[in-house]
Amino acid sequence: MNHWRNYMIWNENAECMGREEKEEMQLALFQQQVKRVYENVPFYKKKFDDAGFHPDDLKTLEDVNKIPFTTKDDLRQAYPFGLFAVSEDDIVEIHSTSGTTGTPVVSGYTQKDIDIWGECTARAIAMADGGKHSKIHNSYGYGLFTGGFGIDHGAKAMGATVIPMSSGNTARQLKIMEDFQSDILTCTPSYAMYLAESLEKEGFDAESISLHAGIFGAEMWTEEMRQSLESKLGITAHNIYGLTEIIGPGVATECKEQCGLHIQEDHFFAEIIDPKTLENLEDGETGELVLTTLTREGMPVIRFRTKDVTALRREKCDCGRTTVRIERITGRSDDMLKIKGVMVYPSQIEAAILQIEGLTANYQIHVSRPKTLDEIEVKVETSPEVFSDEMKKIEEFERRIAKKIQSAIGISVDVTLVEPESLPRSEGKAIRVIDERNFD
């Protein structure tokens, strides 16, 4: 282990490398990777040839924009193993997206890929002050979903103790957390909130558990959600980012400074593009994140359009790491809600809700078009005290919340307060938006 100003840094050589040295390394790795896929993946040979690009054309990092993008549709069309760059005999682990919105994306890993993944998530755990001494309560789902195994690989790589809880059976989760004295919780932020809400109901409190940090990802969440989780659980909450198409969790993680997520640049190359013009944007400009796997063997992916909206920050972080950071994901370029001609991110509504005392973090956004105009209803759970108030007070509270949300998104909404624990809970990714409009 290495230390920098009392911060835990897992791999100082990689995470604190100078920018010039890092870019030289990235160019060499990028050149090797495009050559590998051109020679070993027919999909990429055809894609490069059709675009008039040859691996020899990549002479500087500025030449990257000559390379065609890879999209989720490309990965789906290659289902199941069409993008593997190695023999299936060399694949030791397979993961997949859920496929709930179409054909799933399959991701194959060699042993080297598993080692890389473990290295990246070990760095993430170190950012939460984890180490060999840690007991990591892993409530991400195990199985084809990458969350559980990604954290598992990282914990084992650093010699920490992993408690493979997966999700579900909340009372048992809390009992194990208390008995085993887990100190880092890993799961989705919505499930972390569910655990926090369940503490008192199940006869526990924040002092009966010894958590000091949480590593939460797999869904978008707001700064207001972070503050609520930190207050309820007595922890430091770290944002982790990853996606099955690239490797899984660990592509980028927040350090204790909480000012952006550090991308592991020795393994992933990040760009920001304008999703409409597809032109590269400057650091600090908000656009769509594009990622390339620089070292992955089993299924390398070149210039993948993630659809996630963020910006890059390259100034040095006070934690000592020099890796480029992405800002908190604020939405997806393909699932913004267009309501009455206005583009709305669900995270804007969540931020407004969590600023109001008396509301919980559980809400659903229902969008409909009963006639010719869009209508939006936000259902929000209240605290028991609020819900027990007389109807006149509840109606006034609903109007105040609606005004707050309208101020945040620029359009009017209807707000319905519902009783505590009446909205569906999720042990995986929370379903926040229900769009009932028919666009046929």
Side-chain angles (χ1 to χ4, degrees):
M1 293 287 171
N2 296 297
H3 295 266
W4 184 291
R5 301 177 191 170
N6 297 319
Y7 286 93
M8 189 77 72
I9 296 180
W10 176 249
N11 186 333
E12 187 174 320
N13 182 56
E15 298 178 74
C16 304
M17 187 183 298
R19 175 57 49 188
E20 185 176 341
E21 181 185 0
K22 187 175 299 176
E23 290 182 353
E24 289 177 1
M25 173 197 65
Q26 286 186 310
L27 176 59
L29 291 172
F30 215 134
Q31 289 169 329
Q32 292 171 20
Q33 197 70 298
V34 293
K35 187 172 186 294
R36 281 192 70 239
V37 299
Y38 190 77
E39 293 174 350
N40 294 287
V41 185
F43 162 81
Y44 274 116
K45 184 177 191 311
K46 183 177 187 306
K47 197 170 189 70
F48 289 0
D49 288 344
D50 289 349
F53 172 79
H54 188 274
D56 292 342
D57 297 333
L58 183 61
K59 294 180 169 57
T60 70
L61 286 178
E62 286 69 35
D63 294 330
V64 165
N65 58 20
K66 298 176 182 177
I67 304 172
F69 296 105
T70 304
T71 66
K72 194 159 192 169
D73 283 342
D74 291 330
L75 303 188
R76 284 171 171 159
Q77 289 168 18
Y79 178 87
F81 307 139
L83 285 179
F84 288 4
V86 298
S87 163
E88 289 180 34
D89 291 344
D90 294 323
I91 298 293
V92 301
E93 191 165 307
I94 289 177
H95 289 277
S96 172
T97 60
S98 64
T100 53
T101 58
T103 303
V105 172
V106 173
S107 194
Y109 303 74
T110 65
Q111 185 56 55
K112 180 184 174 185
D113 294 333
I114 296 298
D115 294 342
I116 290 169
W117 195 8
E119 167 71 15
C120 291
T121 49
R123 295 178 193 178
I125 293 166
M127 288 188 207
D129 262 356
K132 186 175 174 59
H133 60 280
S134 298
K135 292 176 184 172
I136 299 168
H137 190 99
N138 189 9
S139 293
Y140 283 112
Y142 280 72
L144 287 176
F145 174 58
T146 57
F149 277 96
I151 296 296
D152 196 285
H153 292 319
K156 290 172 180 173
M158 68 177 359
T161 301
V162 62
I163 304 167
M165 289 300 300
S166 197
S167 56
N169 199 340
T170 301
R172 186 164 186 263
Q173 294 261 1
L174 297 172
K175 179 64 174 168
I176 292 291
M177 206 179 291
E178 181 183 56
D179 291 349
F180 291 9
Q181 290 294 281
S182 315
D183 56 0
I184 297 178
L185 171 64
T186 62
C187 60
T188 63
S190 57
Y191 191 57
M193 184 61 72
Y194 185 34
L195 290 170
E197 291 172 346
S198 301
L199 276 172
E200 186 175 352
K201 184 175 71 174
E202 298 292 343
F204 300 88
D205 57 51
E207 274 131 29
S208 72
I209 58 176
S210 58
L211 293 178
H212 70 77
I215 302 175
F216 307 130
E219 60 191 26
M220 286 176 287
W221 51 301
T222 60
E223 184 62 28
E224 288 77 12
M225 175 77 91
R226 185 216 300 280
Q227 291 170 7
S228 182
L229 284 168
E230 291 187 337
S231 173
K232 291 177 185 296
L233 291 172
I235 61 172
T236 302
H238 298 257
N239 201 345
I240 188 169
Y241 174 79
L243 54 170
T244 303
E245 295 87 347
I246 297 300
I247 202 166
V251 173
T253 314
E254 272 181 332
C255 67
K256 289 174 70 175
E257 293 294 321
Q258 298 179 328
C259 58
L261 291 78
H262 293 268
I263 288 185
Q264 306 307 335
E265 289 191 275
D266 50 332
H267 298 295
F268 311 104
F269 183 82
E271 309 168 68
I272 299 291
I273 64 166
D274 182 315
K276 294 180 179 177
T277 67
L278 305 185
E279 296 294 320
N280 284 79
L281 299 179
E282 297 293 326
D283 290 351
E285 293 186 278
T286 299
E288 180 183 333
L289 178 64
V290 173
L291 290 170
T292 295
T293 61
L294 296 176
T295 54
R296 192 165 173 194
E297 287 185 333
M299 200 183 89
V301 179
I302 309 297
R303 297 198 84 197
F304 179 69
R305 292 189 60 183
T306 68
K307 301 293 186 178
D308 291 323
V309 176
T310 183
L312 296 181
R313 301 176 60 176
R314 230 172 275 273
E315 68 272 16
K316 190 172 180 178
C317 182
D318 284 345
C319 74
R321 295 176 179 85
T322 58
T323 42
V324 68
R325 284 165 287 157
I326 55 172
E327 295 181 354
R328 178 187 294 275
I329 304 296
T330 56
R332 289 179 57 81
S333 62
D334 63 348
D335 72 1
M336 287 185 294
L337 291 168
K338 190 171 186 180
I339 303 169
K340 301 178 183 177
V342 177
M343 304 308 289
V344 175
Y345 286 120
S347 59
Q348 294 173 291
I349 295 175
E350 178 179 298
I353 288 170
L354 291 177
Q355 289 172 13
I356 301 172
E357 190 174 349
L359 300 179
T360 75
N362 295 297
Y363 65 93
Q364 278 192 339
I365 302 165
H366 292 254
V367 187
S368 61
R369 186 178 291 168
K371 294 181 181 178
T372 58
L373 295 177
D374 294 337
E375 294 184 4
I376 180 168
E377 178 189 18
V378 181
K379 294 183 178 181
V380 193
E381 287 183 13
T382 70
S383 65
E385 295 77 19
V386 169
F387 197 76
S388 64
D389 283 344
E390 61 185 68
M391 184 58 67
K392 186 177 179 181
K393 288 185 178 180
I394 290 177
E395 289 174 350
E396 174 57 35
F397 194 24
E398 287 174 339
R399 286 193 289 272
R400 184 157 65 87
I401 298 164
K403 187 175 180 180
K404 181 79 171 178
I405 294 174
Q406 181 176 357
S407 176
I409 66 176
I411 58 174
S412 61
V413 305
D414 293 321
V415 171
T416 302
L417 295 179
V418 299
E419 61 184 305
E421 300 185 29
S422 62
L423 293 177
R425 294 298 196 273
S426 172
E427 294 170 355
K429 294 188 180 184
I431 299 172
R432 299 297 194 193
V433 179
I434 298 174
D435 195 337
E436 299 164 339
R437 293 173 293 180
N438 186 346
F439 292 100
D440 292 341

